[in-house]
C-alpha cells in the first residue's frame, strides 16, 4: 500500500472513531466553572447532583458536590426530564435570557447568601469578573439602587422577619448579618421608625397618636409617632380605621390626640383639593430601598397627572420591574402624602388601589378639577 493510501485510510478510520474526548473536555470546563462558582456561565448550563436529586446554576453558593455525583445539562428542562428538581437556593429557572439582567440576579443571590460578610465592590467585582465601577453601574442601571443599598434592604427584611417571629434582638441581629449592635441601631432605627427592641414587641412602649376626620373619601385616620406621620388610612367607620391601625401596630400605646394631629389632617384635606402639600409634613415610614426609590418618584409626579406602572419603573431605572412597582404602591402606608393613586395601567384604566378603586377615581377627579 502506498504512503498516500495509508494516510487516506488512517484519516477515514479516525473520522469514524467516537469523539469521546470532546464531551469530556466540555464537561471538564463546566466542572471548573462550578468549582469557581463562575456566574458568567449562568444560563449556559446547569449541573445536577445524583446524591441530592437537585440541579443548580454554576454560581450556586451551596457546598460543592463530589465530581462523580455530577451530571451536566444544557438547561433546566433537560435536567427535569432526567428527574432532577430545581435548587431552592440558587433558583436556576430564574434565568431570563437577558445576560445583563441575569448577571445582576446572580449578584443579588450572592449578596443574599453572604449578608454576614463584608461585601465590598472589590469583592463582588472579583467574584463576578468585572471591575467594581462597571459592576456598580450595571447593577444600578437594572435595579435602581447600589449593591450596598440592596444588601441593607435584605438585612432589614431578614431582621424584621426574625423580630416578628419572636427572636431576641441579638439573635435577629446576627442572623440578619449585622456585625454589631451599634451598627444595627445606626442602620435600622430610622428605617423601622423605632428601635429594634420596640419593633420586636409590636411597637410596645412606643406611643402612636391618632385622630379621625371626615374627608371627600369618607372617614380618614392620621396616626403619628414622635417622629412624624406613620399611617394615613381611609374607611367607612372609625371602628374600621382603628382595626387597621391595630393590625399595623398591634401592641403600641394608641392615644387619640385630635388637637396635635389636626394641623396635619387639615394640610392633607387642603392638598386633596389642589393645594401644595406642606413640604415640612413629617413622615415616619418603614421601607426597603426599592420602596423608598418608588415612593420618592411618586412624590415628584405633578398634581393632577398620572403615570403608568411601566413609566414609573422606567423612571427609577427598572424598566422590567412594573409588578414590583405595583407592590410598592399597594404597600404605601401614607395615602395621599405619597400619591400612589397617580399610578395607573398602560391602557389608562385604574389598576389597583389599597383603599378601593372608587376612592382612587375620586382622588384623580378632584385633582383634574
Amino acid at each position: 500500500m502506498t504512503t498516500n493510501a495509508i494516510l487516506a485510510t488512517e484519516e477515514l478510520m479516525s473520522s469514524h472513531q467516537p469523539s469521546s474526548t470532546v464531551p469530556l473536555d466540555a464537561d471538564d470546563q463546566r466542572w471548573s466553572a462550578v468549582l469557581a462558582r463562575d456566574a458568567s456561565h449562568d444560563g449556559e448550563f446547569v449541573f445536577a447532583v445524583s446524591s441530592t436529586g437537585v440541579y443548580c446554576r454554576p454560581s450556586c453558593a451551596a457546598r460543592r458536590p463530589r465530581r462523580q455525583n455530577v451530571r451536566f445539562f444544557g438547561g433546566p428542562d433537560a435536567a427535569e426530564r432526567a428527574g432532577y428538581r430545581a435548587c431552592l437556593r440558587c433558583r436556576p429557572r430564574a434565568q431570563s435570557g437577558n445576560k445583563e439582567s441575569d448577571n445582576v440576579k446572580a449578584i443579588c443571590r450572592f449578596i443574599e447568601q453572604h449578608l454576614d460578610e463584608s461585601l465590598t465592590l472589590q469583592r463582588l467585582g472579583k467574584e463576578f469578573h468585572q471591575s467594581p465601577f462597571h459592576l456598580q453601574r450595571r447593577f444600578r442601571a437594572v435595579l435602581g439602587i447600589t449593591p450596598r443599598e440592596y444588601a441593607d434592604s435584605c438585612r432589614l427584611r431578614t431582621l424584621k422577619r426574625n423580630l416578628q417571629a419572636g427572636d431576641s434582638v441579638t439573635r435577629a441581629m446576627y442572623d440578619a448579618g449585622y456585625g454589631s449592635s451599634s451598627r444595627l441601631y445606626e442602620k435600622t432605627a430610622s428605617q423601622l421608625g423605632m428601635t429594634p427592641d420596640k419593633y420586636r414587641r409590636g411597637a410596645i412602649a412606643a406611643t402612636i397618636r391618632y385622630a379621625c376626620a371626615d374627608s371627600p373619601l369618607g372617614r380618614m385616620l392620621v396616626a403619628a409617632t414622635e417622629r412624624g406621620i406613620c399611617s394615613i388610612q381611609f374607611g367607612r367607620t372609625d371602628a374600621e380605621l382603628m382595626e387597621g391601625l391595630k393590625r399595623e401596630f398591634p401592641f403600641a400605646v394608641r392615644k387619640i390626640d385630635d388637637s396635635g394631629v389636626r394641623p396635619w389632617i387639615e394640610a392633607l384635606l387642603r392638598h386633596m383639593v389642589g393645594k401644595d402639600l406642606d413640604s415640612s409634613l413629617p413622615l415616619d415610614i418603614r421601607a426597603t430601598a426599592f420602596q423608598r426609590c418608588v415612593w420618592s418618584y411618586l412624590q415628584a409626579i405633578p398634581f393632577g397627572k398620572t403615570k403608568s406602572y411601566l413609566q414609573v419603573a422606567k423612571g427609577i431605572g427598572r424598566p422590567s420591574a412594573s409588578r414590583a412597582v405595583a407592590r410598592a404602591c399597594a404597600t404605601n402606608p401614607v395615602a395621599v402624602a405619597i400619591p400612589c393613586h397617580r399610578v395607573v395601567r398602560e391602557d389608562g384604566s385604574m389598576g389597583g388601589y389599597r383603599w378601593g378603586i372608587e376612592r382612587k377615581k375620586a382622588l384623580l377627579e378632584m385633582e383634574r378639577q
Side-chain angles (χ1 to χ4, degrees):
M1 185 179 291
T2 65
T3 302
N4 288 341
I6 293 173
L7 290 175
T9 302
E10 289 178 347
E11 183 178 349
L12 182 63
M13 291 177 64
S14 65
S15 68
H16 285 79
Q17 292 293 324
S19 54
S20 58
T21 57
V22 175
L24 287 177
D25 287 344
D27 281 357
D28 286 343
Q29 292 173 7
R30 289 170 169 177
W31 179 240
S32 296
V34 170
L35 290 177
R37 293 185 171 88
D38 189 345
S40 67
H41 291 278
D42 285 355
E44 295 178 5
F45 69 91
V46 297
F47 71 94
V49 184
S50 59
S51 57
T52 63
V54 169
Y55 70 91
C56 305
R57 66 176 71 199
S59 65
C60 183
R63 189 174 63 179
R64 300 294 82 172
R66 293 183 178 181
R67 175 64 183 89
Q68 60 265 33
N69 294 334
V70 172
R71 291 180 62 189
F72 297 101
F73 295 93
D77 290 339
E80 290 179 10
R81 283 196 297 270
Y84 294 92
R85 65 184 186 277
C87 173
L88 296 178
R89 187 169 188 176
C90 68
R91 292 180 285 184
R93 274 202 171 276
Q95 296 292 104
S96 69
N98 182 319
K99 191 162 186 178
E100 184 164 308
S101 175
D102 290 338
N103 183 255
V104 169
K105 288 179 184 177
I107 296 172
C108 289
R109 301 294 85 78
F110 183 86
I111 290 173
E112 292 163 8
Q113 294 156 11
H114 297 81
L115 291 175
D116 58 342
E117 302 172 22
S118 175
L119 293 173
T120 62
L121 283 174
Q122 286 72 21
R123 180 180 175 188
L124 292 174
K126 183 177 180 181
E127 188 73 29
F128 290 92
H129 311 290
Q130 302 176 42
S131 74
F133 171 78
H134 284 96
L135 184 143
Q136 169 143 298
R137 187 176 68 177
R138 290 169 181 165
F139 191 95
R140 189 162 196 166
V142 173
L143 288 188
I145 56 177
T146 66
R148 173 175 289 182
E149 289 170 333
Y150 183 77
D152 284 344
S153 69
C154 290
R155 291 190 185 99
L156 180 65
R157 183 170 63 247
T158 303
L159 176 73
K160 289 169 68 174
R161 184 175 63 243
N162 293 346
L163 291 175
Q164 290 168 352
D167 289 353
S168 68
V169 173
T170 301
R171 178 176 177 178
M173 171 186 76
Y174 286 114
D175 284 351
Y178 293 96
S180 66
S181 58
S182 60
R183 184 163 181 235
L184 170 72
Y185 280 79
E186 170 194 341
K187 288 281 186 182
T188 63
S190 62
Q191 294 170 316
L192 289 174
M194 58 196 74
T195 59
D197 54 330
K198 287 181 182 178
Y199 185 86
R200 177 181 178 271
R201 298 192 300 273
I204 196 169
T207 299
I208 293 179
R209 299 173 295 120
Y210 73 93
C212 299
D214 284 324
S215 81
L217 306 177
R219 294 293 284 174
M220 178 174 71
L221 177 144
V222 178
T225 67
E226 60 186 9
R227 298 184 181 207
I229 296 173
C230 61
S231 182
I232 301 172
Q233 303 181 18
F234 294 102
R236 290 170 296 179
T237 65
D238 289 4
E240 180 183 325
L241 293 169
M242 281 299 302
E243 186 61 31
L245 185 63
K246 183 177 180 181
R247 284 196 302 269
E248 180 69 13
F249 301 99
F251 303 107
V253 178
R254 295 178 296 277
K255 292 183 177 180
I256 191 164
D257 182 10
D258 189 74
S259 60
V261 179
R262 176 58 56 178
W264 295 334
I265 289 178
E266 292 175 352
L268 290 165
L269 291 174
R270 288 194 300 269
H271 182 57
M272 288 185 202
V273 293
K275 302 294 183 182
D276 287 337
L277 193 62
D278 187 348
S279 60
S280 65
L281 193 74
L283 298 180
D284 184 7
I285 51 179
R286 303 188 291 268
T288 64
F290 180 80
Q291 286 172 325
R292 287 184 185 276
C293 189
V294 172
W295 295 345
S296 295
Y297 185 89
L298 299 189
Q299 289 175 305
I301 299 176
F303 194 88
K305 302 295 184 182
T306 60
K307 295 271 190 179
S308 69
Y309 295 104
L310 178 59
Q311 286 174 318
V312 175
K314 289 179 177 179
I316 63 171
R318 292 279 308 276
S320 61
S322 297
R323 289 186 180 180
V325 166
R327 286 195 297 272
C329 292
T331 54
N332 168 27
V334 284
V336 180
I338 293 175
C340 56
H341 60 277
R342 294 177 192 160
V343 188
V344 298
R345 289 177 176 163
E346 276 295 295
D347 61 4
S349 61
M350 290 293 101
Y353 190 54
R354 181 177 179 180
W355 308 110
I357 296 298
E358 293 306 315
R359 288 193 177 96
K360 184 172 185 175
K361 288 179 180 177
L363 270 171
L364 291 175
E365 186 59 30
M366 283 190 291
E367 292 190 0
R368 291 189 185 105
Q369 291 175 354

